[in-house]
Amino acid sequence: MKTRALHLIAILGLLLAGSLQAQESTLAPTPPMGWNSWNKFACNVSEDMIKSMADAMVKSGMKDAGYQYVNIDDCWQVSRDAAGNIVADPQRFPHGMKAVGDYIHSLGLKFGVYSDAGSKTCAGRPGGLGHEYQDAIQYAAWGVDYLKYDWCSTTTQDAKAAYANMRAALDAAGRPIVLSICEWGKAKPWLWEEVGGNLWRTTGDIQDRWQGKKEWSPGDCCSYGMLDILDLQVGLESYAGPGHWNDPDMLEVGNGGMTDTEYRSHFSLWAILAAPLIAGNDLRSMRPATHNILTNKEVIAVNQDPLGREGTRVAKNGDLEVWAKQLKDGSRAVVLLNRSASEQNITVAWEDLGYPDHLSAAVRDLWQHKDLGKFTGKFSASVASHAVVMVAAKP
Ligand code: GLA
């Protein structure tokens, strides 16, 4: 009798462990895709704007292309009530946060919010410190699917412990919620496997420009041009995989600070990096060029490849670079990047892709949507200034 009871307990334990594991692997099995308010709207968020953005995500074909999360960044919150519950801005969100989440869900999309591990968010709104479990229960009740958790006003807090605490709080609330760690890479969050973050920022904030880092200033988190962030990803590729991704910050495609050519490069490189594809532009008024970039299904397929490998730089010759990502079917996605001011010829050698020299591979251009033929040993293309040529090479 006693042994039977023990067996039963053991079986129940195994079942529970199995279902917890299953829950973990269903959160962000491929890099999350969605939209976030910060890059374009900063603190100017409201129920009306978020709902119209969710509508636009469906109408524009972004949803069909794979975008899923509608994420409200900083400034939706104004205070805490007497019981310590977080209070949404009653003017900007007159029907409360659950109504926003319900609307987003009614369109078949997912709902994300933002908070901070410290006492205040980066925009000075109430942070989550000391309210982790209370907030997690509230988020679950609102139907939140994704939490971006920032790192302002954290003084002497230990970063790893703070994020582990929030992960535990979210798990205890009983709703699967993606945890987006926004600690800017300061304490190397890519080493925190046991914390259970689904993505983590690797750097300070992206700015809508091709290149040029702005220095750190006290209390601020620095900002980087697109290429500066790209360079900081080299060496981190082994830490990414299904359920846990390096996050080189959200997309600036369509926000006006770069040319369409540069935005095509930005998007191609984020795809190769297996980066979360979180658009940051106004989806309600996209120019066709912006729309074509954000919805290129062949490039998105590289990003979302189920093997979940992050690509990296495999060759560099001054301003000319080759980036490559292994795909599940054994083929490679390749980006030829020209950082220079003039048109250049760039070659990818098969040996830099881990292919033997004598191998013949079919090359397809993922922006022209065109098969280019079979190539042995290498492939070369002429690449305009600040542009990429992105291909798939399939043996
Ligand atoms: C930090 C984050 C940004 C954004 C702002 C909001 O700077 O890194 O992505 O969330 O805070 O205040």
Side-chain angles (χ1 to χ4, degrees), residues 254-319:
N255 278 339
M258 291 186 245
T259 65
D260 290 335
T261 297
E262 291 170 341
Y263 283 138
R264 210 171 295 119
S265 300
H266 175 22
F267 195 70
S268 305
L269 289 160
W270 262 232
I272 277 272
L273 288 172
L277 297 180
I278 308 291
N281 59 314
D282 192 339
L283 305 180
R284 302 166 302 186
S285 54
M286 276 189 275
R287 289 182 307 113
T290 304
H291 180 268
N292 288 345
I293 293 170
L294 288 172
T295 60
N296 182 330
K297 291 187 183 172
E298 291 196 70
V299 173
I300 291 172
V302 168
N303 175 265
Q304 295 289 302
D305 181 76
L307 185 63
R309 283 282 174 86
E310 177 171 331
T312 193
R313 188 158 61 202
V314 297
K316 180 169 175 65
N317 176 12
D319 281 337

Side-chain angles (χ1 to χ4, degrees), residues 121-162:
T121 71
C122 292
R125 305 303 175 91
L129 182 61
H131 296 273
E132 294 83 1
Y133 282 77
Q134 186 176 18
D135 286 349
I137 290 167
Q138 180 69 269
Y139 299 152
W142 289 342
V144 167
D145 304 296
Y146 185 116
L147 174 68
K148 174 175 167 182
Y149 213 47
D150 215 339
W151 189 241
C152 277
S153 304
T154 46
T155 61
T156 59
Q157 280 175 259
D158 177 73
K160 187 176 173 183

Side-chain angles (χ1 to χ4, degrees), residues 87-138:
V87 176
D89 185 327
Q91 257 94 51
R92 288 172 173 267
F93 294 91
H95 300 96
M97 299 301 274
K98 183 168 186 311
V100 180
D102 286 348
Y103 186 79
I104 290 170
H105 290 146
S106 76
L107 299 176
L109 299 169
K110 292 186 168 174
F111 176 36
V113 294
Y114 161 103
S115 186
D116 186 288
S119 55
K120 284 190 172 147
T121 71
C122 292
R125 305 303 175 91
L129 182 61
H131 296 273
E132 294 83 1
Y133 282 77
Q134 186 176 18
D135 286 349
I137 290 167
Q138 180 69 269

Side-chain angles (χ1 to χ4, degrees), residues 36 38-39 42-43 73-75 114 116 121-124 148 150-152 182-184 201 203-206 220-222 249-250:
N36 172 294
W38 184 255
N39 283 355
C43 270
D73 207 278
D74 209 345
C75 303
Y114 161 103
D116 186 288
T121 71
C122 292
K148 174 175 167 182
D150 215 339
W151 189 241
C152 277
C182 183
E183 180 268 359
W184 320 312
R201 283 274 297 278
T203 68
D205 290 5
I206 192 169
D220 190 12
C221 78
C222 57
D249 207 358
M250 304 174 291

Side-chain angles (χ1 to χ4, degrees), residues 206-282:
I206 192 169
Q207 298 270 304
D208 188 12
R209 60 173 174 270
W210 177 247
Q211 190 162 21
K213 181 184 168 192
K214 281 199 186 147
E215 286 311 314
W216 288 76
S217 55
D220 190 12
C221 78
C222 57
S223 70
Y224 299 87
M226 189 271 288
L227 286 186
D228 308 292
I229 291 196
L230 178 73
D231 289 337
L232 291 165
Q233 307 314 305
V234 176
L236 302 184
E237 57 278 358
S238 64
Y239 300 105
H244 50 99
W245 308 100
N246 287 308
D247 175 8
D249 207 358
M250 304 174 291
L251 297 166
E252 291 285 11
V253 177
N255 278 339
M258 291 186 245
T259 65
D260 290 335
T261 297
E262 291 170 341
Y263 283 138
R264 210 171 295 119
S265 300
H266 175 22
F267 195 70
S268 305
L269 289 160
W270 262 232
I272 277 272
L273 288 172
L277 297 180
I278 308 291
N281 59 314
D282 192 339

Side-chain angles (χ1 to χ4, degrees), residues 17 49 101 175 191 193 236 312 336 361 364 391 395:
M49 186 272 270
R175 184 178 170 88
L191 299 176
E193 200 186 341
L236 302 184
T312 193
L336 308 176
R364 180 173 172 81
V391 298

